[in-house]
Structures are given as C-alpha cells and as structure tokens.
Amino acid sequence: MAVDVRELSPEDLRDQTLGWLAEQLPVGWMEAVDADDEDAFDVARAGLEYSEWCVRFGEAGYATPTWPSEYGAGLSLLPGQAKHVNDVLSHYKVPRPFNIIGIGMGGPTVMAWGTEEMKHRLLKPLACNQEIWCQLFSEPVAGSDVAGLATKAVRDGDEWIVNGQKVWTTLAHISKWGMLLCRTDPAVPKHAGLSYFVVDMDQPEVDVRPLVQITGDAEFNEVFFNDAHVRDDWMLGREGDGWKVAITTLMNERVSLSGAGSIGGDAVGGSPVARLLDRHRGTKDPLVRQQLAQAYIESRLIKVNNQRAADKRKSGGEAGPEGSITKLQQAEFNRRLQNLAIDLEGVNGIAWDGPGLADQVRASRQLRPGTGESSIVQGFLRAQANTIEGGTSEIMRNILGERVLGLPKEPDASRELAWKDVPRSA
Ligand SMILES: Cc1cc2nc3c(=O)[nH]c(=O)nc-3n(C[C@H](O)[C@H](O)[C@H](O)COP(=O)(O)OP(=O)(O)OC[C@H]3O[C@@H](n4cnc5c(N)ncnc54)[C@H](O)[C@@H]3O)c2cc1C
C-alpha cells in the first residue's frame, strides 16, 4: 500500500531527504559539510552543473515541497513537514533555483486561480528553473498605489492586445512568463477595472530594458508593451477580478520576502554578515556586545513570527496580512544589521581591491551558484531595496494598521471614482 506522505514523521522526512541527497549530490559534498572542510566543499561543488541540478532538484519535488505532486514537481507536504526537509537542505548548503518570483508568487497564484491546463503546462518548468517568471505590476506612476496602474489590455477575438509600461520588473530580462496586471475597464473605479494575465515575454512586442542599481547589478528592468499579445484563456480569474488575484500574489510575496520559507535558518546564521558578527563575538567593548545581542534578539523575534505565519498555513489558512509583520521586521532589521556590519568592519567594509563591485558580485555568484553569496558592501548597498520591494515599510505599516489592528482606512479620494476620471499628470 502506498504511504501517505502526510503521515511521514519528521525523522522519516529527514531520512528520505538525506537518502536522496546522498544519491544525487557530487561525491564528497555531504562529508565536506559535515567535516566543515571548505576546500573539500569547493572541490565537490565544482562537480555540480547548476542548471542540470535545478532540473533534478525540481523534478524530485524539493524546490517546491508543498506543491501537489500531480503537477510533476512537488512532494504534497504540509508546510510544517516541509520545514524538516528544508532544514536538511539548508544544512547541506544545497543550491536552490533562483526562480524565486515564480516559486514564491507565480506558482501559488496559478494554483489558486489557474485552469488545470495552466497548472500542467506551467508549474513543472517553473519549479525546475527552466522557465523564469517575473511580476509585472509596478508602473512609473503606480507603485504603492498599484491599483491605479495604466497599462491597458483590449480584447481582440480570443486574445488581448496590451500597451503600456512597467518598471522595476525583477528578472524580466531572462523571464519566459510574466504575471501581468492590466486595466481592462477604465470606466469603473480603479480596483474594479483590472484583469490579471500570464503573458509570454518571448515576443517582439515586449521590449525589456535593464536598469542598473547602485550595487552595479541590473536585477530589474523597464518593460514596454507595444501591441503585445496575451491569450484570453490565460487570464487568471475572470475579467475585472485582477485585484483579487493580485492580492494572492502580494500576500505570497510578503511571505517570500520575509523569509518565512526559510524558517529553519537563523537570520544571524549562514550569511557573510553572520561570519562578520562571529568575528566580533569575543569583543570586550560593551557597546558592540550590546549591539550584537540586540541583533540576535531581533533575528529570533523574526524567526518566531515566521513560525507563527507557517503554523497558520499548516492549519489550512492562506497567506494573510501577518506576512506584512515579518516583511516589515525583516526589511528594517536587515538595514540595521548591514549598518552594524559596516560600522564593525570599518574601512574593510567599504573598500575592495581589483575589479569593480559588480564584477566581484558576478564572479562570486558564478563560483557559488544558488548560495546567494555576496560581499558585505554589496549587502549594505542592497539593504535599502528591502524596505521598498514588495511594498514599502510605510505601506506595510498602513496594512498592519488597517487589516490587523482594525484602524480606519486611509482616506483615498480616487477610490470610488471611475479610473478615467481620476486627475493625474500626463
Ligand atoms: C529591488 C526592487 C525590486 C522590485 N521588483 C519589482 C517587481 O519584480 N515587480 C514589480 O511590479 N515591482 C517591483 N518593485 C517595485 C516596488 O513594488 C515599488 O517600488 C514599491 O511598491 C514602491 O512604489 P514606488 O517606487 O512607485 O514608490 P511610491 O509609491 O511613489 O512611494 C514613494 C514614497 O512615498 C511613500 N508612500 C506612498 N504612498 C504612501 C501612503 N499611502 N502612505 C504612506 N507613505 C506612502 C512610500 O513609502 C515611499 O517612501 C521592485 C522594487 C525594488 C526596490
């Protein structure tokens, strides 16, 4: 009789994961981690081809352990069970797919709103890192107030024609699919006139232009739609339901960005900053000791809050506004932590030799695919973005005030007006 995976104990899950890793990872990998032998680990890592690894990892269900196995890339585990699997994967420094927008947001949105055809076509290549996803919500004048967006889609037989501009679109330059929020009815209030599509980015009418950040990286892009095409039956939800579908994406985004998917890890463990903090742990300076203790306490609080969100999902609940608590905590904490790292490291924290920062970061990613390794200065420069991406800290506080504490809604004079009648700059 087949075993119901939901009956598996934590020990069974750990053993099953260990067994799979022992068969699949290059020889010497697990032994090197257990022996804390960095040189041996580098040798083992050189034997792993990242793209091919992501396919095996995804097909076995480890990239998306809570997804239903019927779509070809999940283990059908409960979130609480997935934690035991993730603990083993994190311990053995197993490379993960970088398709984080797809795994964290695209997949859950397709599972909640998509047709069976879409689930069968889209989920497996997404989990296997073969088809990268991006989120096409923000526009030059619609970021925090994303429901005010202007990119329009007009029906044309069994497809829609899209025109407009998106911005800050992470990974768009390598994406196959985009989660596209469009205005399909300008004559009704802003939230009611939106529809949500999965768009094929691989068409000449979609023009993607990378934007370079202060770190030297170009993670995000401007995206122009010039009479682009999208299939009518690849609309998620019904026409005019776009805002409801977008909320599913946004709630999952907050959970992904707050690190709830990695509750097994410790926010002060496993990063270059953690190693830095380790270096200063023996300090006699009482102020530094106090700052380190404070960082540790905050990281534990984030972990506990993430656990609370995971427990809610474990008992059948969907990602809700509690994701905004950890998103806010994580973003603000990371900024303080990176500042502390720079303060402790002094001039070493802001200077580097040899190639430019962007080259160094690129080189470190190639050497350590999927491990998210980066320099202290890169972390410092990138930390500000955490307080903006996925909704700014101010917007998180508004959500918490309104949806968790039940305070009155923020006044919005444009909320009930037909979108086309809302005053806006050209
Ligand atoms: C690294 C990074 C990656 C991103 N990736 C994506 C992506 O992949 N896809 C995507 O669609 N978008 C993406 N974004 C865009 C992001 O969602 C927006 O930048 C964010 O929602 C803020 O919008 P905005 O930049 O237009 O700022 P604005 O909305 O113009 O805000 C400007 C300032 O005003 C404050 N403010 C605005 N409204 C209020 C209010 N009601 N109450 C209090 N304060 C307010 C904000 O907090 C902010 O400080 C990304 C952003 C970053 C930084």
Side-chain angles (χ1 to χ4, degrees), residues 17-18 20-22 24-25 29 48-67 72-75 82 85-100 103 123-130 369-370:
T17 311
L18 282 170
W20 188 82
L21 291 178
Q24 302 291 332
L25 283 171
W29 182 296
L48 183 135
E49 206 282 303
Y50 179 65
S51 324
E52 187 264 336
W53 166 258
C54 287
V55 175
R56 274 189 285 145
F57 189 69
E59 280 178 347
Y62 287 106
T64 52
T66 55
W67 290 12
L75 292 171
V85 171
N86 278 324
D87 283 348
V88 176
L89 300 177
S90 299
H91 175 77
Y92 283 104
K93 302 181 184 176
V94 173
R96 314 288 182 104
F98 65 81
N99 198 11
I100 43 173
I103 289 177
L123 295 179
K124 186 173 165 190
L126 185 165
C128 293
N129 216 40
Q130 291 163 309

Side-chain angles (χ1 to χ4, degrees), residues 193-386:
L194 300 170
S195 300
Y196 191 127
F197 301 91
V198 175
V199 63
D200 188 345
M201 299 290 286
D202 192 8
Q203 51 177 307
E205 294 81 7
V206 179
D207 180 10
V208 179
R209 301 184 196 167
L211 293 166
V212 179
Q213 300 149 239
I214 192 172
T215 55
D217 262 348
E219 302 171 51
F220 48 46
N221 305 267
E222 296 178 291
V223 180
F224 297 86
F225 293 93
N226 306 308
D227 289 332
H229 302 255
V230 58
R231 285 168 54 173
D232 179 50
D233 58 354
W234 281 40
M235 183 187 277
L236 291 179
R238 284 195 296 248
E239 186 179 341
D241 273 349
W243 186 247
K244 280 193 231 160
V245 184
I247 292 290
T248 303
T249 309
L250 292 172
M251 292 300 177
N252 280 288
E253 177 174 32
R254 272 148 215 169
V255 172
S256 322
L257 288 174
S258 64
S262 59
I263 54 170
D266 188 324
V268 185
S271 69
V273 172
R275 287 199 285 279
L276 177 92
L277 293 176
D278 262 349
R279 276 222 295 285
H280 293 272
R281 192 162 282 168
T283 179
K284 298 280 184 287
D285 182 329
L287 283 179
V288 172
R289 290 170 67 84
Q290 208 169 0
Q291 285 172 308
L292 293 176
Q294 181 66 26
Y296 181 75
I297 291 166
E298 285 190 53
S299 85
R300 301 301 293 180
L301 288 175
I302 292 169
K303 189 172 173 178
V304 170
N305 268 327
N306 276 335
Q307 181 71 56
R308 194 162 58 158
D311 285 346
K312 180 182 167 198
R313 280 176 293 137
K314 187 175 162 186
S315 57
E318 287 183 359
E322 72 284 344
S324 298
I325 300 177
T326 40
K327 159 67 172 86
L328 176 63
Q329 269 188 315
Q330 177 72 41
E332 296 297 325
F333 169 64
N334 190 39
R335 191 159 56 165
R336 285 193 294 276
L337 190 67
Q338 302 289 348
N339 281 342
L340 175 60
I342 293 288
D343 285 348
L344 293 183
E345 194 68 349
V347 85
N348 290 337
I350 53 169
W352 58 92
D353 286 332
L357 177 60
D359 296 327
Q360 284 200 347
V361 171
R362 259 191 297 278
S364 75
R365 287 202 181 137
Q366 275 154 19
L367 283 174
R368 293 159 187 247
T371 56
E373 199 73 32
S374 59
S375 69
I376 290 168
V377 67
Q378 207 258 353
F380 172 74
L381 293 174
R382 179 66 176 70
Q384 185 63 30
N386 295 148

Side-chain angles (χ1 to χ4, degrees), residues 380-394:
F380 172 74
L381 293 174
R382 179 66 176 70
Q384 185 63 30
N386 295 148
T387 66
I388 303 172
E389 64 195 340
T392 66
S393 290
E394 289 76 21

